[in-house]
Amino acid sequence: MHRIRLDSDTDFDGWRKAARELVLADVAPADVTWTVAGDEPELFDAAEFAPSAPTPAAPDRESPTSPFPTFNVPARFVELAQTAILHRDPQRFAYLYQLLWRLRANPELMQVATDPDVARLQTMAKAVRRDEHKMHAFVRFREIGREPKSRYVAWFEPEHHIVAAAAPFFARRFADMEWSILTPDACAHWDGHKIAITPGVAKAMAPSEDRLEETWLTYYASIFNPARLKTKAMRAEMPKKYWRNLPEAALIRPLIEHAERKAHAMVAAEATAPKKPQRQELPMIRTEHTGDTLEALRDEARDCRACDLWKDATQTVFGEGPQRARVMLVGEQPGDKEDLAGHPFVGPAGQMLDRALAEAGIDRAETYVTNAVKHFKFVPRGKIRLHQKPSTSEIKACRPWYERELATIKPLLVVAMGATAAQSVLGKITPINKNRGHLIDRDDGPPVLVTVHPSYLLRLPDADARQREYARFVDDIKLVATHLKKAHAA
Amino acid sequence: MDVQRKLAILADAAKYDASCASSGTEQRDSRDGRGLGSTAPGMGICHSYAPDGRCISLLKVLLTNACAYDCLYCVNRASSNVPRARFTVDEVVQLTLDFYRRNYIEGLFLSSGIIRSADYTMEQIVHVAQTLREQHHFRGYIHLKTIPEADDALIAKAGRYADRLSINIEVPEETSLAALAPEKNVRAIRRTMGRLRLKLDEATEAKVEARKAPSRAKPPRFAPAGQSTQMIVGADAATDQTILNTSANLYGSYNLKRVYYSAFSPIPDSSRALPLAAPPLIREHRLYQADWLMRFYGFDAQEIIDPAAGMLSLEMDPKLAWALRNRERFPLDVNRASREDLLRVPGFGRKAVDRIIDTRRHSAIRAADLAKLHIPRNKALPFIVLPDHRPPPHLLDGAQLVERFRPKAQQLGFGF
Ligand code: SF4
């Protein structure tokens, strides 16, 4: 029988060193007992605890050239062992050794969550991590003295041997305070520079009050909603074993006792008559239009509900540009970016349009840019929104806005980009390819040029096609420039 | 009025807001010795729990509960008879620091009634955060409520100091907002969310750029923990399906970190237009579960709820209810099924699915292993096949399966 005596309850290095030697010496788990210094029952004398076999026949490990054989364990095991060793179960060293022993033959064992040894240690590690997390949460410092010379001291009763492991959290968080956390097992102290761990003390060593505690209790009582008592949920997260060191826990019972009564009273209380709700008529599109200004139009369109698209979209994206613009560019509908920003053609398609306009010798600032449909139509798919084509009825519902924009601006020329735009501008489904490349004269308005929508260019998969189509798009736009020149000359 | 009395009023006024988390921000600490506080990426810490089961992570208060608006569901509305109070900026700052030093909280969640104007109110809120960060080098968590339509520069400033910004959508449908909160405008709320999203996207892009060219100046910070919102449940007639559709839309449109659901609970001096009943806590719980299914389990807002009902089942969790409606997809062979399919088995959590996928490469999973994977047997067994288990064919087809999961009639006790 090998008896291994570790320096302390959290002596991971000691355990690791001993365990490695034992594995290499082929000592079966059943032949090892583990103890911690100071924990041995007194009736045994020290002699009995001497290792019953000499340390494995190993060459001197201190020598740097030592050929001491070693074996690798998965990083996952080391992580698990470092945590599980903090568990209070006296068998933890043995459980860990047992798993280590088996890992030598089966290095993939760590991935088998259903293995009983793995599962047991995972459960222990989980308990340790939870206790550590609860210590981070439930330590309550009490102030001794007053700023700037105050010190903060807390009393905590951890379930496992976690004080040293939990202390760095407090050092990072309260770096500019001098603090101590006292526990029955060990105490952690911070002086502004380093953490010191000292032996455990009695609760009486810790301060029993703080000038702010009453204020904290006031907060705790006020933030609680008596109409929604859910004490099971509370206890699952804040188990009773922690209550005795949480000042606010003293309030739990009285708060619960009063809650039902209070909630009852609230429900039974006479309700106050509501003020008359201000009925708002749903604004619709006015169809008679005389002497609109763009600003007035834009304001009115903000609340348009002529079709259902306003519901899911962020806002109406109305046209933009000078009221005296000579060209009106009509796109299909705003996209994701436009919907968020509230401006037409600000996304990637807008940049494409800017480039083509510049190349054709047209200043975008001189044009009026709008869309056939003023709200973004989409379906949400997780974190993105998939663009949807507007239906004919939506195009029709939105057309009055286009008509009023047209009547207000009176441009020399309209450019309809994409099928939706062409349908709205020309009042009927109009295939692009057959109709592009020339101006379509209209009896009741300025001539219309149809072309593709710039986002069509963005969607083309191969670079050659993209270049070709872009050039064609620029050629179309150049017709606009030519027409404007002619109109100017006339 | 002393600070403690104000705290009692202004914490009480804030308790109907469900957002509490201090999660998802960047990592910070105060090891340079110049300031106070730290945050961890991922989960924040809940420092206490109230008897309503809710976590206390942040000092959640209003700057003032005086409000010019008259939203019927709100305890702070102009026509309410509650006592009013107002903190000074310094009072909130000092309270936050004092509470933080005692390890009561992770930081501050500050909101306010609308006073004077959106900009004035927002300015006050931002001022608190600015003082905490700049004068006291406070590194803890700060969540600020954004006032709709506040000036863009103020919003940018808020994002510089806050970890999270939020703006409450309030109710799932515009029509009820018009009836319940006449001064509030769903368009304005959405526009502000849209602006936040654009700023969040910009900050993310700037961060990516900065990683590529580390020599350049640090990109401006904007709310690293993103934005969230809250919806009140049960104050209007909206169905669960409407609520989930609204959530799915909000997640997709504004990339929200969280939608919080808050069961409408009766407020003192309540309006007759609202249900004077115990808050629908189970419904709220089911909505959180359904929300979880959308965000982490690949469910679509449209498939979670029985289309005929429009409401989530109160008797069983939404995944179980879904499985019972889609029995043709079961039983599933746990040792072969895809990750996506495993995530749809009742009782299978994400961690359990991870462990299953790891484990089954090395050894087959058997019925006895379910306990070690922390999977509730009764819930899962009818839907799965294991080497030593196959549900009897009549079970999945029969009507008793639903019965088996119906809870026995019981009074909802306090369990104390
Ligand atoms: S898409 Fe057009 S018609 Fe439909 S709501 Fe929006 S602005 Fe009105």
Side-chain angles (χ1 to χ4, degrees):
Chain A
M1 178 57 80
H2 297 257
R3 286 188 186 281
I4 307 297
R5 189 169 179 273
L6 300 173
D7 286 348
S8 74
D9 272 310
T10 56
D11 182 10
F12 178 73
D13 290 338
W15 176 84
R16 178 193 194 129
K17 185 170 155 234
R20 183 165 45 197
E21 287 169 4
L22 289 164
V23 167
L24 292 170
D26 234 3
V27 179
D31 295 333
V32 191
T33 49
W34 302 83
T35 60
V36 172
D39 278 359
E40 300 95 345
E42 274 171 38
L43 70 167
F44 296 107
D45 67 81
E48 256 189 87
F49 283 92
S52 56
T55 329
D60 180 16
R61 291 192 301 107
E62 307 314 323
S63 120
T65 54
S66 159
F68 186 75
T70 176
F71 71 101
N72 287 326
V73 292
R76 256 165 120 166
F77 173 77
V78 180
E79 254 167 63
L80 175 70
Q82 274 170 329
T83 309
I85 206 166
L86 306 181
H87 200 280
R88 207 176 279 276
D89 188 333
Q91 292 299 310
R92 63 194 180 281
F93 307 112
Y95 293 155
L96 282 169
Y97 183 61
Q98 158 104 3
L99 180 56
L100 181 71
W101 171 259
R102 291 181 58 214
L103 270 175
R104 199 171 52 153
N106 182 1
E108 280 170 354
L109 200 54
M110 287 307 295
Q111 279 144 53
V112 185
T114 51
D115 178 85
D117 286 331
V118 174
R120 174 165 59 194
L121 283 161
Q122 295 283 20
T123 307
M124 289 170 75
K126 196 172 160 198
V128 168
R129 276 195 300 269
R130 182 172 156 91
D131 195 34
E132 223 178 282
H133 182 80
K134 293 301 180 195
M135 178 165 168
H136 293 158
F138 297 154
V139 153
R140 297 282 179 263
F141 284 115
R142 284 173 162 146
E143 187 186 38
I144 302 179
R146 282 299 290 261
E147 281 184 81
K149 294 206 80 55
S150 46
R151 279 178 48 76
Y152 292 83
V153 181
W155 172 254
F156 192 72
E157 293 169 44
E159 190 166 342
H160 302 294
H161 300 290
I162 55 166
V163 174
F169 165 84
F170 295 97
R172 286 194 298 275
R173 173 157 294 193
F174 303 109
D176 72 342
M177 281 166 29
E178 270 183 47
W179 54 258
S180 295
I181 301 171
L182 313 180
T183 89
D185 299 324
C187 303
H189 313 270
W190 173 256
D191 61 2
H193 304 284
K194 58 181 193 318
I195 298 170
I197 305 287
T198 59
V201 297
K203 184 172 184 175
M205 302 284 288
S208 56
E209 52 192 35
D210 182 278
R211 67 184 164 98
L212 225 73
E213 223 146 84
E214 217 187 300
T215 314
W216 168 238
L217 298 193
T218 300
Y219 177 68
Y220 184 82
S222 313
I223 203 67
F224 156 61
N225 183 350
R228 30 181 315 150
L229 215 45
K230 259 186 170 175
T231 52
K232 250 200 205 137
M234 169 190 65
R235 283 198 304 175
E237 297 298 338
M238 195 165 74
K240 265 187 154 167
K241 66 183 177 212
Y242 296 109
W243 288 14
R244 82 191 128 177
N245 295 314
L246 289 169
E248 67 269 26
L251 288 180
I252 293 174
R253 193 167 271 283
L255 282 176
I256 292 170
E257 278 164 7
H258 289 130
E260 217 190 347
R261 193 171 47 79
K262 275 202 227 160
H264 218 81
M266 248 194 286
V267 174
E270 178 80 10
T272 348
K275 284 201 218 148
K276 233 181 150 154
Q278 290 138 274
R279 269 259 147 261
Q280 286 178 345
E281 283 309 311
L282 298 186
M284 302 295 279
I285 301 180
R286 263 195 304 131
T287 36
E288 81 291 356
H289 36 86
T290 42
D292 282 320
T293 65
L294 270 183
E295 263 332 292
L297 267 185
R298 178 172 296 122
D299 273 356
E300 206 184 317
R302 204 162 276 163
D303 292 316
C304 177
R305 279 135 207 228
C307 73
D308 272 348
L309 291 185
W310 69 275
K311 274 189 186 159
D312 287 341
T314 301
Q315 53 198 324
T316 310
V317 180
F318 206 67
E320 278 178 4
Q323 180 145 352
R324 291 277 143 254
R326 293 183 304 159
V327 185
M328 184 160 162
L329 299 159
V330 185
E332 311 203 289
Q333 62 156 340
D336 183 71
K337 258 263 165 54
E338 286 79 13
D339 169 80
L340 296 173
H343 304 293
F345 283 97
V346 290
Q351 282 157 21
M352 181 71 89
L353 175 64
D354 287 352
R355 227 177 84 200
L357 284 172
E359 237 171 275
I362 296 173
D363 184 359
R364 165 146 170 198
E366 299 285 308
T367 65
Y368 184 84
V369 182
T370 190
N371 283 301
V373 171
K374 310 283 194 256
H375 274 111
F376 179 33
K377 184 178 182 182
F378 64 93
V379 284
R381 276 282 166 279
K383 285 184 177 175
I384 55 164
R385 301 192 281 184
L386 292 183
H387 162 282
Q388 301 276 290
K389 206 172 143 38
S391 67
T392 297
S393 67
E394 285 151 355
I395 296 172
K396 275 203 183 123
C398 214
R399 186 153 197 268
W401 290 120
Y402 161 70
E403 286 167 8
R404 290 173 66 185
E405 283 173 301
L406 190 68
T408 308
I409 293 163
K410 305 190 187 71
L412 294 176
L413 175 76
V414 174
V415 182
M417 299 181 291
T420 299
Q423 187 181 345
S424 174
V425 167
L426 297 166
K428 58 171 195 272
I429 294 175
T430 309
I432 308 274
N433 258 328
K434 261 202 337 233
N435 294 290
R436 71 193 289 188
H438 61 271
L439 295 186
I440 302 169
D441 284 320
R442 309 263 296 154
D443 302 336
D444 54 349
V448 173
L449 172 77
V450 299
T451 183
V452 293
H453 195 275
S455 64
Y456 157 77
L457 306 172
L458 290 168
R459 282 196 306 266
L460 289 172
D462 85 289
D464 276 354
R466 223 173 356 213
Q467 223 168 6
R468 207 172 47 240
E469 284 301 310
Y470 175 73
R472 255 187 102 191
F473 180 59
V474 173
D475 281 347
D476 285 346
I477 304 283
K478 279 185 180 151
L479 287 177
V480 175
T482 320
H483 180 78
L484 288 182
K485 262 193 221 120
K486 258 196 257 159
H488 191 71
Chain B
M1 202 186 290
D2 70 351
V3 172
Q4 202 167 315
R5 175 77 191 126
K6 287 188 189 177
L7 179 63
I9 294 172
L10 294 168
D12 188 278
K15 73 182 170 200
Y16 302 96
D17 199 306
S19 0
C20 68
S22 50
S23 54
T25 193
E26 62 195 357
Q27 184 149 17
R28 295 191 298 266
D29 63 46
S30 56
R31 267 178 302 185
D32 61 4
R34 245 179 15 114
L36 169 70
S38 65
T39 52
M43 285 311 280
I45 297 176
C46 301
H47 285 267
S48 196
Y49 290 84
D52 52 21
R54 296 206 274 187
C55 128
I56 299 177
S57 165
L58 303 168
L59 170 61
K60 180 157 63 173
V61 288
L62 262 59
L63 198 54
T64 174
N65 64 338
C67 189
Y69 287 9
D70 207 38
C71 310
L72 293 188
Y73 50 78
C74 179
V75 67
N76 305 313
R77 68 189 190 281
S79 64
S80 160
N81 295 321
V82 291
R84 308 285 174 170
R86 178 174 180 178
F87 273 133
T88 66
V89 167
D90 284 339
E91 281 167 344
V92 183
V93 167
Q94 200 51 51
L95 210 48
T96 307
L97 295 172
D98 279 346
F99 274 17
Y100 197 85
R101 285 199 184 283
R102 283 153 183 82
N103 204 38
Y104 298 158
I105 51 168
E106 287 288 286
L108 173 68
F109 174 16
L110 188 62
S111 171
S112 179
I114 313 268
I115 36 171
R116 283 198 232 170
S117 68
D119 279 352
Y120 176 80
T121 310
M122 192 72 212
E123 215 172 84
Q124 297 290 303
I125 291 175
V126 171
H127 193 189
V128 173
Q130 179 174 20
T131 310
L132 276 168
R133 292 281 195 240
E134 287 181 352
Q135 274 179 34
H136 301 277
H137 301 283
F138 178 67
R139 316 268 160 84
Y141 197 90
I142 299 181
H143 176 162
L144 298 179
K145 180 117 305 157
T146 312
I147 309 296
E149 300 280 49
D151 187 78
D152 220 40
L154 281 170
I155 297 221
K157 206 167 165 189
R160 201 148 68 233
Y161 303 121
D163 290 283
R164 173 167 291 180
L165 296 173
S166 64
I167 172 162
N168 288 350
I169 194 88
E170 317 288 7
V171 285
E173 278 182 308
E174 153 105 20
T175 39
S176 30
L177 195 65
L180 298 176
E183 290 99 339
K184 273 196 189 141
N185 173 338
V186 104
R187 297 293 104 187
I189 293 171
R190 280 179 164 272
R191 269 200 300 278
T192 306
M193 285 184 172
R195 280 197 287 166
L196 291 180
R197 158 111 206 222
L198 284 175
K199 289 208 156 69
L200 288 165
D201 286 354
E202 258 168 49
T204 314
E205 277 161 33
K207 235 196 244 156
V208 173
E209 287 301 311
R211 226 173 280 141
K212 279 191 231 150
S215 54
R216 255 185 286 152
K218 257 179 99 180
R221 185 176 173 281
F222 194 87
Q227 63 168 328
S228 64
T229 193
Q230 166 179 288
M231 234 186 296
I232 301 169
V233 175
D236 63 2
T239 63
D240 290 344
Q241 185 66 65
T242 306
I243 292 173
L244 286 194
N245 290 348
T246 302
S247 293
N249 177 359
L250 293 173
Y251 281 125
S253 299
Y254 310 114
N255 201 357
L256 295 178
K257 280 284 158 62
R258 288 285 301 274
V259 174
Y260 290 92
Y261 304 94
S262 174
F264 177 72
S265 67
I267 44 173
D269 192 18
S270 177
S271 155
R272 235 180 263 156
L274 290 170
L276 211 45
L281 295 181
I282 300 182
R283 187 177 174 204
E284 176 193 276
H285 179 61
R286 294 286 181 242
L287 280 166
Y288 274 116
Q289 290 177 318
D291 187 272
W292 199 259
L293 292 184
M294 292 201 291
R295 286 188 298 142
F296 300 114
Y297 289 76
F299 280 79
D300 197 84
Q302 304 301 325
E303 61 181 325
I304 296 174
I305 295 178
D306 181 355
M311 296 295 277
L312 292 162
S313 163
L314 293 180
E315 291 176 328
M316 58 186 82
D317 72 73
K319 201 208 269 184
L320 178 57
W322 175 87
L324 288 169
R325 284 198 312 277
N326 293 276
R327 299 184 199 189
E328 71 287 351
R329 300 178 58 146
F330 299 101
L332 212 64
D333 184 340
V334 173
N335 288 295
R336 281 165 210 276
S338 71
R339 187 191 175 75
E340 291 69 40
D341 284 345
L342 286 175
L343 283 171
R344 293 192 171 226
V345 178
F348 280 40
R350 281 200 301 164
K351 275 195 192 141
V353 169
D354 285 345
R355 286 198 201 107
I356 287 170
I357 288 172
D358 252 5
T359 302
R360 70 185 187 183
R361 276 192 215 119
H362 307 284
S363 96
I365 291 160
R366 311 181 72 80
D369 295 328
L370 293 180
K372 280 181 228 134
L373 295 163
H374 305 286
I375 292 170
R377 288 171 65 94
N378 285 344
K379 203 183 222 181
L381 280 176
F383 302 97
I384 55 176
V385 172
L386 298 160
D388 55 346
H389 160 83
R390 174 172 281 279
H394 64 268
L395 180 64
L396 261 181
D397 297 334
Q400 326 89 291
L401 190 56
V402 177
E403 286 316 311
R404 181 173 164 153
F405 293 114
R406 286 241 157 86
K408 283 157 221 82
Q410 59 168 18
Q411 197 74 46
L412 263 180
F414 289 147
F416 189 71

